[in-house]
Amino acid sequence: MTITFLQSSRMRVKECGAGYAILEMDLDEQLLNIYGLVHGGALFSLADTAAGAASFTTGRDSVTLNSSINYIRPASGGKLKACASEIHAGKTTGVYEVFIYDDQEHLLSRATFTMFFLDEERKKAHPKYENQETSIR
């Protein structure tokens, strides 16, 4: 059995609906940088996963095509909450905005993601894709 990144990252979907997703992630020392603050990569991973979850509500699978994140305030522990919402969902791409908050509701980061929607032909072209379920559904 393979443990995927999502299964080992302490992230979980709290709520998901048409065009939005809310995820949480518990923090521990493994997610801190050398200054004792949450590593930017952990924040980015949470934002990326939240954008992906929101994009899956279109009923299509997707991968990240482009992204940008602004780190606004540092965090050092507790629980993080990511709120992703759809800005646009077109034929081949979707744009999603993600805000990440700490457990006192302070805004930590804001990110924008462009997701590329996979059609059936693109999914079939990847041999590992067959018989796999998306873990957040």
Side-chain angles (χ1 to χ4, degrees):
M1 178 187 223
T2 302
I3 302 297
T4 66
F5 175 73
L6 286 178
Q7 292 169 323
S8 65
S9 64
R10 299 174 190 85
M11 290 183 223
R12 63 194 164 280
V13 177
K14 295 302 286 183
E15 190 176 331
C16 202
Y20 80 95
I22 299 172
L23 277 69
E24 287 184 349
M25 181 168 68
D26 294 320
L27 297 176
D28 64 23
E29 290 183 7
Q30 294 179 355
L31 297 175
L32 303 181
N33 62 23
I34 61 172
Y35 306 107
L37 303 172
V38 177
H39 193 282
L43 291 168
F44 183 87
S45 293
L46 178 59
D48 185 39
T49 304
S55 74
F56 289 153
T57 68
T58 64
R60 298 176 284 178
D61 290 327
S62 65
V63 294
T64 302
L65 182 64
N66 189 37
S67 59
S68 173
I69 189 166
N70 293 95
Y71 299 104
I72 297 166
R73 181 182 182 137
S76 57
K79 187 183 296 185
L80 301 180
K81 178 173 74 171
C83 301
S85 61
E86 180 181 280
I87 296 171
H88 169 77
K91 182 178 178 183
T92 58
T93 63
V95 179
Y96 297 84
E97 186 170 50
V98 182
F99 294 92
I100 298 179
Y101 302 92
D102 65 13
D103 49 10
Q104 281 101 39
E105 296 294 320
H106 296 124
L107 179 62
L108 304 178
S109 65
R110 178 195 175 278
T112 304
F113 287 83
T114 301
M115 307 303 286
F116 181 74
F117 295 122
L118 300 172
D119 60 23
E120 290 304 314
E121 293 304 312
R122 286 187 186 92
K123 289 191 289 188
K124 289 177 185 174
H126 194 287
K128 286 191 172 186
Y129 195 89
E130 288 182 21
N131 302 319
Q132 287 191 7
E133 297 274 335
T134 304
S135 63
I136 63 166
R137 287 191 189 157

